[in-house]
Amino acid sequence: MEKKNLSILFILIGLTLVMALLDVFNLEIGNYLTSMVMGIAAVKFLLVAFAFMDLRKAHFFWKFATVLIGLLIVLVVGFWV
Amino acid sequence: MEVKVQAIDHRDIFYPPGGILLWLIIILELITFGLGIAGLVYYGRIEPEVFHQSRLQLNSFIGTVNTMVLLISGYFMANTIVKHKSGDIIATRKYLKWTILGGMLFVGLKCYEYVEKLTGNLELEDNMFFTFYWLMTGFHLAHVLVGLVILSFSWWHLKTNPSSVQGADLESGAAFWHMCDLIWLFLFPSLYLIF
């Protein structure tokens, strides 16, 4: 369990670095890159919720509510900016 | 040192990991911050150049480091629960201590960033971007501070009277702490990267 959590942590940190690199190299953040950044944020959100918060063990209602809110935020930011 | 841990069926809709009241709070907080982010995006579309110039004045390096600090702290919190379930109180206390230290580091870096902004005269009423920046990061920081108080309280009880700390109580603290993670995971790209 601890090893699994550690693997997830490395994935999360890797994804954070990918997001930061987009800024460090001053890439022009166009619409598709905004969607990409928010997509990465969504993956991180789901990893923390399902792995660290043990949401995978919870009733479907809580999984659905959390995923729905996360996806709505990603869609609003990713496709509206 | 070992304590017996009572098992809870989290598949039951009324017993999500951390408790139903805390999950109602989590859902409401996510909706609230989600609406805040939607407001940020709405005003960003009205004043794209102001938002772009304002975003460039934020320290994205500290933002990135703070994201990693919070994620590492969340990892320690997840391990705290694993160790408590296995009945290993010494390891539980150790992981909880590192979780709290991670939270304190986050607060320290956030305060440094705030001082940097205030000395640069970047205040709440400068423009809509900074209004959202101060309000959303400020409310998030308040949640982190509340989380630190809850976790410190649990740590103290684990140290003085381990049998008084129930698994459900610790899971509630953990769920609150991870909620701070979840909110920050959307605040970071919304404020520091996309405009």
Side-chain angles (χ1 to χ4, degrees):
Chain A
M1 194 69 177
E2 281 173 273
K3 276 185 184 172
K4 201 185 100 190
N5 282 345
L6 190 62
S7 309
I8 289 164
L9 176 67
F10 281 129
I11 294 169
L12 288 166
I13 288 183
L15 291 171
T16 305
L17 288 174
V18 170
M19 287 167 94
L21 281 175
L22 291 171
D23 188 61
V24 168
F25 290 114
N26 202 19
L27 295 175
E28 254 186 56
I29 301 215
N31 273 343
Y32 77 97
L33 275 176
T34 304
S35 307
M36 202 173 100
V37 165
M38 290 315 291
I40 294 171
V43 173
K44 289 163 68 181
F45 176 88
L46 293 175
L47 278 173
V48 169
F50 279 84
F52 285 177
M53 290 178 97
D54 275 346
L55 190 62
R56 65 185 183 283
K57 293 178 187 167
H59 187 273
F60 174 77
F61 171 79
W62 300 108
K63 294 176 190 172
F64 179 76
T66 310
V67 171
L68 181 70
I69 295 165
L71 279 179
L72 280 175
I73 296 173
V74 169
L75 288 175
V76 165
V77 180
F79 296 101
W80 203 20
V81 169
Chain B
M1 199 186 314
E2 288 200 357
V3 289
K4 282 191 176 178
V5 180
Q6 194 184 352
I8 300 168
D9 180 18
H10 293 307
R11 296 264 173 225
D12 188 324
I13 191 168
F14 297 109
Y15 295 98
I20 189 165
L21 283 177
L22 205 85
W23 267 94
L24 289 174
I25 291 172
I26 290 171
I27 297 294
L28 287 172
E29 293 281 2
L30 287 175
I31 291 171
T32 308
F33 275 92
L35 288 172
I37 291 170
L40 175 83
V41 172
Y42 173 77
Y43 284 102
R45 279 178 72 90
I46 295 172
E47 300 174 301
E49 194 50 38
V50 171
F51 271 57
H52 179 64
Q53 292 305 323
S54 303
R55 194 276 289 183
L56 292 178
Q57 293 182 75
L58 295 186
N59 192 333
S60 57
F61 175 72
I62 290 183
T64 305
V65 173
N66 250 350
T67 307
M68 291 198 275
V69 167
L70 214 49
L71 288 171
I72 292 167
S73 179
Y75 159 76
F76 286 133
M77 189 72 248
N79 280 350
T80 303
I81 299 300
V82 172
K83 287 296 173 189
H84 191 259
K85 278 179 181 166
S86 70
D88 186 348
I89 294 300
I90 291 170
T92 305
R93 221 165 47 209
K94 183 188 79 178
Y95 277 123
L96 191 55
K97 183 178 77 184
W98 282 105
T99 307
I100 294 166
L101 288 174
M104 286 173 153
L105 184 57
F106 178 90
V107 173
L109 285 169
K110 203 80 216 138
C111 289
Y112 172 78
E113 202 187 342
Y114 280 168
V115 169
E116 204 181 52
K117 295 288 157 291
L118 289 172
T119 50
N121 288 321
L122 300 170
E123 293 169 5
L124 186 83
E125 59 277 353
D126 274 6
N127 59 43
M128 279 310 282
F129 180 86
F130 280 108
T131 303
F132 276 103
Y133 167 80
W134 282 105
L135 288 178
M136 293 211 288
T137 59
F139 281 130
H140 178 262
L141 184 64
H143 285 79
V144 172
L145 290 171
V146 170
L148 279 175
V149 171
I150 295 168
L151 297 184
S152 302
F153 191 73
S154 299
W155 181 81
W156 178 252
H157 276 275
L158 277 170
K159 194 178 175 189
T160 53
N161 186 11
S163 57
S164 70
V165 180
Q166 302 294 311
D169 298 338
L170 210 54
E171 277 189 347
S172 296
F176 190 90
W177 193 246
H178 290 307
M179 178 191 76
C180 298
D181 271 8
L182 292 181
I183 294 167
W184 184 256
L185 288 178
F186 284 134
L187 279 188
F188 169 63
S190 302
L191 289 167
Y192 292 78
L193 300 177
I194 62 167
F195 287 106

